[in-house]
Amino acid sequence: MKTDLTDTTASKINKALVKARRAIGTPAVGMVLTLVIVTDEENAYDALKAANDASREHPSRTLVVIKRVSRSPRDRTQSRLDAEVRVGADAGTGETVVLRLYGDVADHAQSVVLPLLLPDAPVVVWWPVDAPLDPAGDPLGALAQRRVTDTYSSEQPVRELSARADAYTPGDTDLSWTRITPWRSMLAAALDQVTCKVDAVEVEGEEFNPSCELLAMWLADRLDVPVKRSLSNGPGLTAVRMHTDSGPIVLDRADGSLATLSIQGQPDRAVALKRRDTAELIAEELRRLDPDDTYAAALRFGVERLNPSTPFPEPGSVKKSGAEESDANGSDAKGSGAKGSGAKGGPLSGEPDAASTELAVKAPVEGAAEAPGEETAPSASLKPVPSGLSGKAAK
């Protein structure tokens, strides 16, 4: 059911809501929060559709605030409030009021919204586009317990992250942070499966995507290791590579829907990691209304601290284990011992040195393995071989 009101007031809008609920046979109010959407006419449809889909999980009263731009000086002097009231199937599982503000009343949107808030219910304000740099300082943001922005829609998203870190207030959050929730869960689960020490991390994604920077700052803050931000063609985040002392851990998503988790010594696993739409992101944010301390710590880490000057391990490089290093050291020690005995000469008895004899017998075989069909001359540094051994070698 839809009701259009022209040049109206907040009191008339409340009466229209009560009348509409009675008309459809649901006079009781069963909503859990008030969602205020501050947007423009261009993005109002998509934002309202996402809010209606999210209302199936969180029944709410949705107030859409659209500040209309007056084109002539004459229109700017005329203040007017138009409203569209939707109840029932047209408003998802809650109520929707679309408010269009003209003239001076657009500068006092909080005075229009305040009488329409649900009593004793939390308030969430969402800016799909053109969010203020200080959401808590905005008159509408001051009414809310949670303030949701989307840095991805800004012209300079990475620079805006730094501005939001300076103006952060408990209760602020961003949909760019919500988009990486599956990535954070998968990376934490991967590190729980192995016992290792992370030396460095590389986050790969498309340019001008603040989710990549937020994920890199979260990893740098939690792991306390250097994190490198590299670019790809997307879509979105494409890969995270963690260099550890037990081998690389790679989470790679090239197509935007299916990812591959690779851990050293384990078979590769396919992981569903699709890109979620706005309705799913808003529904996730409405599940928790307390301050997100993890987001605050990642945001305050700072974009400028990424891409350190320290050299990163080469892709695919794996550190040797302790057993391999000890074997290599033992081989080096044996080789140096053999060289030392050759320099000092054979035993005092004058008999052929056993090590030299063994090397002399093995030399032709190794040479044949390296270059089949070619005759190898005995090394000049080795002692003469007895005729019996020479004959056997010739045979």
Side-chain angles (χ1 to χ4, degrees), residues 12 16 41-42 56 108 136 148 155 179 186 201 235 270 333 338 346 365 381:
K12 293 179 181 179
E41 201 72 58
E42 180 182 358
R56 295 186 176 91
H108 305 280
V148 184
E155 294 184 359
R179 290 184 180 96
M186 192 58 59
V201 181
V365 180
S381 63

Side-chain angles (χ1 to χ4, degrees), residues 46-75:
D46 293 335
L48 187 55
K49 183 177 183 302
N52 288 341
D53 293 341
S55 69
R56 295 186 176 91
E57 184 176 343
H58 310 278
S60 59
R61 174 179 288 182
T62 304
L63 305 177
V64 184
V65 179
I66 302 175
K67 300 179 181 181
R68 298 295 298 265
V69 179
S70 301
R71 298 184 179 180
S72 64
R74 188 178 197 179
D75 293 338

Side-chain angles (χ1 to χ4, degrees), residues 8 14 20 39 57 59 68 101 123 140 155 181 184 189 232 256 287 296 312 338 345 382 386 389 392:
T8 185
N14 269 321
T39 183
E57 184 176 343
R68 298 295 298 265
L101 285 64
V123 180
L140 283 173
E155 294 184 359
T181 300
R184 294 190 292 122
S232 68
R287 291 188 196 117
F312 268 67
L382 299 178
L389 292 176
K392 292 179 181 179

Side-chain angles (χ1 to χ4, degrees), residues 7 19 49 63 83 106-107 115 124 145 153 162 172 183 187 191 215 238 249 252 271 298 303 305 311 325 351 361 382:
D7 196 8
K19 183 179 178 180
K49 183 177 183 302
L63 305 177
D107 299 329
V124 179
Q145 285 78 29
S153 62
S162 302
D172 294 352
W183 284 82
L187 293 172
L191 288 178
L215 182 60
T238 53
I249 299 176
D252 190 1
V271 181
V303 181
R305 296 175 62 184
E325 289 182 355
E351 296 179 358
V361 175
L382 299 178

